[in-house]
């Protein structure tokens, strides 16, 4: 955090206590002011930086849940941004711990803070409707014994169960939710007194558990333990390995893959519902099925990208392939890896990123958000807003569709502002720090030069930073000398010939130094260079986000259609399958 003030430990502890006090008082304006102040501080310790971001994120989250709870809550976005930054510091602290072993007290403080961070971040994602993403963050604090995470995961599962359209899936999610609620209530004494009193006085928990116990007695035998259910029998070992890899990485377009990796979830089951339309004899059958066909296309694209990721992950880093053996390759001396593995990963990355553009076009046409003539203006970041403004379109303004909200907040993280756009002026200013890197990589892949390298060896490629610095110092000195000689030409005309010769020499040197530095900048920024291991992690992250977005799109359309069909007479029309 360049330019930020270093906070003292005493002041940090004072601000942490103040944040707790303001949240207890629900002093929303005071919380926001304190969050803004915290963002101006930094500290050499990763643990303190983590705590600063955590405090700011928790403050913004408190305000978002209780006051700024509109569809496009800026405060919720800022909460998630600070939690994301805190997550970066979690990784930094872990790396630093290898070189300097922290004391037991420091490690205890770190694990407590990390568990609270994971829980609060998951809660914020749940608030944004992003429940598949939220569920993956609850497990580490639950495994560490955090009872708040147990209660929060139960709530998240309950909300997901309420919004899925398959009754069998809903039942399994409700069962998971009931199990976590029972765990949390059995540990009620571990909650702080105020929260314990709130839980005990809320009739929901007892009513839900009582209701579900009755459902279990009536229908439980129809729903065996999901982890014991058999799936389809793969034809080959390769197919079996692929399906296992997909399940373990939670990559099926299937809500149940969020709670289970058993064979029974090895299907991309989510689809679009029957869509309510007026009868129009002008439409051909293919035209009537355009939306279903488009969603199927997106699923197929995703499945292909997923398969490329699987293939890429199974290929050794340096394995050669005949596909590009038809020409001699230039050795650029930076340990570039240009084989089938890297090309599978690149293709997966491109396809995954394109899915967000396709989702925005689907929303644009399905809900008639703009005219057909404005198809070329459709953009995942802008599809939510009225043309030329930052005001939400009517369909989203007061929407109770959680999965519109989920897609909206994902679009905010796909940062696409111009290079010099200030964060507070960019609609995506609450981006995930990783997705800024994703956008830069995509831009380079499509429009510039992009290299994947062996990161370990590339790290040792000599960079002439000292030489660049010497060039810059010499250039500054030459410019000072030019000013000095130019002044002498006025004050000492008797030495005009010699001074003009010196001035000409200095100007030639200035030109050459400028050319050197310019060419260095031109060539050093020619390619975006990323290590293969890092790129594979980023690609998996993007692939997972694309999968989540497709799930949210399916649930969003089902929600809207269920609202539209209430009280209306509709003639069902089966969707043909092949």
């Amino acid at each position: 955090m360049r330019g930020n003030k270093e906070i003292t430990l005493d002041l940090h502890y004072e601000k942490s206590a103040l944040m707790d006090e303001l949240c207890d008082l629900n002093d929303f304006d005071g919380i926001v002011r304190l969050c803004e102040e915290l963002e101006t501080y930094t500290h050499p310790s990763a643990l303190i930086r983590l705590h600063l971001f955590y405090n700011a994120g928790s403050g913004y989250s408190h305000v978002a849940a209780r006051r700024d709870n509109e569809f496009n809550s800026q405060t919720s976005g800022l909460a998630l941004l600070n939690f994301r930054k805190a997550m970066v510091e979690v990784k930094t602290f872990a790396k630093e711990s290898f070189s300097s072993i922290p004391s037991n007290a420091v490690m205890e403080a770190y694990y407590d803070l990390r568990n609270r961070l994971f829980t609060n971040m998951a809660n914020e994602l749940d608030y944004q409707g992003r429940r598949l993403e939220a569920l993956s963050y609850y497990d580490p604090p639950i495994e560490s014994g955090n009872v708040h995470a147990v209660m929060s995961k139960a709530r998240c599962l309950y909300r997901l169960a309420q919004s899925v359209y398959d009754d069998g899936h809903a039942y399994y999610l409700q069962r998971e939710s009931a199990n976590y609620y029972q765990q949390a209530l059995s540990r009620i004494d571990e909650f702080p007194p105020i929260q314990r009193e709130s839980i005990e006085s809320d009739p929901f928990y007892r009513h839900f558990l009582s209701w579900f116990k009755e459902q279990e007695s009536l229908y439980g035998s129809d729903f065996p333990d999901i982890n014991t259910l058999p799936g389809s029998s793969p034809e080959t070992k390769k197919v079996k390995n692929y399906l296992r890899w997909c399940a373990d990485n939670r990559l099926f377009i299937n809500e149940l893959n969020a709670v289970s990796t058993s064979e029974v979830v090895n299907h991309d089951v989510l689809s679009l519902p029957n869509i309510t339309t007026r009868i129009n004899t002008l439409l051909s059958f293919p035209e009537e099925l355009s939306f279903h066909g488009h969603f199927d296309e997106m699923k197929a694209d995703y499945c292909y990208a997923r398969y490329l990721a699987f293939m890429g992950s199974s290929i050794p880093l340096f394995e050669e392939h005949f596909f590009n053996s038809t020409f001699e390759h230039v050795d650029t001396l930076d340990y570039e890896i240009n084989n089938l593995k890297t090309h599978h990963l690149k293709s997966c990355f491109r396809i995954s990123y394109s899915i967000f553009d396709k989702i925005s076009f689907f929303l644009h046409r399905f809900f008639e958000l703009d005219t057909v003539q404005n198809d070329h203006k459709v953009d995942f970041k802008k599809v939510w807003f009225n043309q030329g403004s930052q005001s939400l379109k009517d369909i989203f303004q007061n929407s109770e569709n959680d999965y519109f909200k989920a897609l909206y907040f994902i679009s905010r993280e796909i940062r696409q502002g111009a290079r010099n756009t200030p964060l507070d002026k960019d609609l995506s200013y609450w981006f995930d720090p990783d997705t800024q890197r994703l956008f830069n990589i995509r831009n380079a892949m499509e429009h510039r030069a992009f290299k994947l390298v062996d990161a370990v060896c590339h790290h040792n490629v000599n960079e002439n930073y000292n030489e660049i610095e010497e060039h810059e110092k010499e250039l500054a000195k030459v410019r000072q000398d030019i000013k000095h000689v130019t002044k002498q030409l006025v004050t000492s005309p008797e030495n005009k010939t010699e001074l003009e010769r010196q001035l000409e020499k200095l100007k030639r040197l200035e030109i050459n130094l400028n050319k050197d530095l310019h060419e260095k900048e031109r060539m050093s920024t020619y390619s975006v260079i990323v290590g293969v291991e890092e790129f594979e992690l980023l690609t998996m992250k993007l692939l997972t986000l694309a999968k989540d977005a497709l799930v949210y799109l399916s649930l969003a359309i089902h929600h809207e259609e269920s609202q539209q069909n209430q009280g209306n007479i509709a003639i069902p029309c089966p969707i043909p399958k092949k």
Side-chain angles (χ1 to χ4, degrees):
M1 297 175 60
R2 190 175 301 168
N4 282 20
K5 299 173 289 185
E6 182 176 328
I7 193 169
T8 64
L9 289 179
D10 287 343
L11 184 59
H12 167 60
Y13 297 138
E14 178 186 323
K15 297 299 181 183
S16 297
L18 178 59
M19 179 65 77
D20 291 338
E21 181 182 339
L22 292 172
C23 288
D24 289 340
L25 295 172
N26 284 328
D27 182 352
F28 302 128
D29 291 334
I31 293 170
V32 171
R33 284 194 299 270
L34 180 55
C35 289
E36 291 170 348
E37 181 186 351
L38 291 176
E39 290 169 358
T40 68
Y41 293 118
T42 187
H43 194 273
S45 165
L47 184 60
I48 301 302
R49 294 196 302 271
L50 190 167
H51 205 168
L52 285 169
F53 289 130
Y54 168 81
N55 283 339
S58 298
Y60 281 127
S61 181
H62 187 91
V63 176
R66 292 162 178 80
R67 186 186 71 177
D68 302 345
N69 53 6
E70 63 273 12
F71 179 90
N72 58 333
S73 171
Q74 171 180 324
T75 317
S76 178
L78 290 170
L80 194 58
L81 171 59
N82 279 279
F83 289 146
R84 299 274 194 208
K85 290 181 176 179
M87 291 291 289
V88 174
E89 299 301 341
V90 166
K91 296 177 183 177
T92 303
F93 179 85
K95 289 177 183 177
E96 291 177 354
S97 298
F98 284 111
S99 56
S100 59
I101 301 175
S103 66
N104 289 338
V106 169
M107 289 306 298
E108 187 176 330
Y110 163 71
Y111 283 121
D112 175 65
L113 187 56
R114 189 196 68 166
N115 289 336
R116 285 188 282 144
L117 168 63
F118 274 57
T119 304
N120 285 11
M121 182 168 172
N123 289 343
E124 199 61 40
L125 288 166
D126 181 19
Y127 170 79
Q128 293 181 1
R130 300 165 64 176
R131 295 187 179 118
L132 298 182
E133 299 160 84
L135 288 171
S136 65
Y137 284 100
Y138 286 121
D139 289 341
I142 287 175
E143 290 169 4
S144 297
N146 188 302
V147 71
H148 300 277
V150 177
M151 179 63 84
S152 295
K153 185 171 184 178
R155 183 178 60 244
C156 182
L157 285 164
Y158 176 81
R159 290 172 175 171
L160 182 60
Q162 296 301 103
S163 57
V164 302
Y165 54 85
D166 184 287
D167 290 340
H169 287 203
Y171 192 91
Y172 277 114
L173 291 169
Q174 287 169 341
R175 178 181 284 168
E176 287 287 311
S177 175
N179 288 338
Y180 279 105
Y181 272 133
Q182 285 175 336
Q183 288 182 43
L185 293 176
S186 70
R187 298 166 58 187
I188 191 70
D189 291 338
E190 296 178 37
F191 288 96
I194 295 177
Q195 191 173 359
R196 182 169 66 243
E197 182 180 338
S198 174
I199 293 170
E200 290 176 332
S201 62
D202 190 336
F204 163 78
Y205 305 107
R206 304 296 177 189
H207 287 173
F208 169 64
L209 290 175
S210 175
W211 171 84
F212 190 73
K213 184 178 180 180
E214 182 180 346
Q215 298 301 301
E216 284 279 68
S217 66
L218 294 172
Y219 310 111
S221 59
D222 296 332
F223 296 92
D225 183 350
I226 191 172
N227 293 313
T228 64
L229 291 175
S232 57
S233 300
E235 298 175 0
T236 65
K237 183 178 179 181
K238 184 176 180 179
V239 175
K240 183 176 182 179
N241 290 340
Y242 169 64
L243 296 176
R244 170 49 46 202
W245 179 86
C246 293
D248 289 343
N249 285 283
R250 315 279 180 175
L251 290 175
F252 284 110
I253 306 175
N254 185 338
E255 322 99 311
L256 291 185
N257 194 198
V259 297
S260 174
T261 59
S262 66
E263 291 180 354
V264 75
V265 305
N266 292 359
H267 304 280
D268 299 297
V269 295
L270 267 72
S271 60
L272 296 186
N274 286 332
I275 294 169
T276 305
T277 59
R278 56 186 296 275
I279 297 173
N280 184 349
T281 57
L282 290 178
L283 296 180
S284 66
F285 283 122
E287 288 167 341
E288 289 179 343
L289 293 168
S290 291
F291 295 119
H292 289 87
H294 188 200
F295 191 79
D296 207 58
E297 176 195 345
M298 287 189 281
K299 285 175 67 175
D301 285 349
Y302 166 77
C303 290
Y304 178 53
R306 182 177 65 191
Y307 178 72
L308 290 173
F310 167 72
M311 290 298 295
S313 69
S314 62
I315 297 174
L317 186 59
F318 299 107
E319 183 174 298
E320 297 298 328
H321 192 271
F322 63 81
F323 88 98
N324 63 349
S325 63
T326 53
F327 66 98
E328 288 186 321
H329 295 260
V330 175
D331 186 352
T332 52
L333 306 178
D334 53 5
Y335 300 95
E336 181 181 12
I337 300 175
N338 194 7
N339 60 8
L340 192 62
K341 178 185 182 74
T342 58
H343 279 269
H344 278 338
L345 293 175
K346 286 180 183 179
S347 295
C348 174
F349 188 99
R350 285 190 175 99
I351 296 167
S352 299
Y353 217 113
S354 72
I355 287 172
F356 300 109
D357 295 324
K358 290 178 180 290
I359 287 174
S360 61
F361 185 77
F362 183 100
L363 292 169
H364 159 71
R365 282 295 191 92
F366 188 88
F367 294 107
E368 298 184 81
L369 301 178
D370 206 339
T371 63
V372 174
Q373 288 71 28
N374 282 333
D375 279 357
H376 65 287
K377 296 181 180 179
V378 175
D379 177 274
F380 190 45
K381 189 182 71 175
K382 299 176 183 176
V383 71
W384 316 95
F385 302 98
N386 291 310
Q387 198 68 40
S389 76
Q390 295 184 23
S391 61
L392 286 168
K393 289 174 178 172
D394 290 342
I395 189 174
F396 306 121
Q397 185 72 54
N398 298 308
S399 175
E400 295 181 358
N401 190 332
D402 283 349
Y403 299 103
F404 275 163
K405 195 174 182 180
L407 289 169
Y408 170 81
F409 276 100
I410 288 178
S411 77
R412 299 304 90 203
E413 293 195 2
I414 304 299
R415 181 168 164 79
Q416 297 175 16
R419 178 183 300 176
N420 297 320
T421 304
L423 292 182
D424 60 343
K425 300 298 182 185
D426 186 353
L427 293 176
S428 57
Y429 62 87
W430 51 71
F431 63 97
D432 173 351
D434 274 350
T435 53
Q436 168 67 8
R437 187 142 174 76
L438 295 177
F439 175 69
N440 290 339
I441 288 171
R442 188 207 194 189
N443 186 55
M445 289 174 70
E446 303 295 351
H447 307 294
R448 295 174 56 189
F450 179 67
K451 290 183 181 181
L452 290 175
V453 300
D454 177 0
V456 175
C457 295
H458 181 79
H459 181 73
N460 296 320
V461 173
N462 289 329
E463 284 287 356
N464 51 348
Y465 297 120
N466 293 335
E467 198 172 333
I468 294 170
E469 189 176 337
E470 290 301 319
H471 258 64
E472 291 172 341
K473 287 179 180 178
E474 186 176 356
L475 180 60
K477 183 178 182 305
V478 167
R479 285 172 173 167
Q480 284 295 113
D481 290 345
I482 288 173
K483 287 181 181 179
H484 179 69
V485 173
T486 303
K487 187 175 180 180
Q488 280 189 314
L489 276 171
V490 177
T491 58
S492 305
E494 65 275 9
N495 297 326
K496 180 179 179 182
T497 303
E498 176 61 22
L499 290 171
E500 284 179 341
R501 187 183 65 78
Q502 290 181 27
L503 186 61
E504 183 181 350
K505 183 178 178 181
L506 287 167
K507 286 184 176 180
R508 282 200 305 271
L509 182 56
E510 180 188 30
I511 289 170
N512 286 331
L513 288 169
N514 261 323
K515 283 183 176 179
D516 288 347
L517 289 168
H518 170 72
E519 189 169 17
K520 173 63 179 177
E521 180 184 18
R522 183 167 67 98
M523 301 312 295
S524 66
T525 59
Y526 193 90
S527 301
V528 171
I529 299 174
V530 182
V532 175
E533 294 86 351
E534 180 193 3
F535 184 69
E536 189 167 357
L537 290 173
L538 289 171
T539 300
M540 287 297 293
K541 178 170 185 171
L542 185 63
L543 182 68
T544 303
L545 197 61
K547 178 267 299 181
D548 292 338
L550 288 172
V551 172
Y552 299 149
L553 177 62
S554 173
L555 296 179
I557 300 302
H558 274 274
H559 176 88
E560 292 301 306
E561 286 299 306
S562 67
Q563 297 298 306
Q564 186 170 335
N565 289 335
Q566 287 183 1
N568 294 329
I569 298 175
I571 302 174
C573 180
I575 307 301
K577 304 288 184 178
K578 59 181 179 181

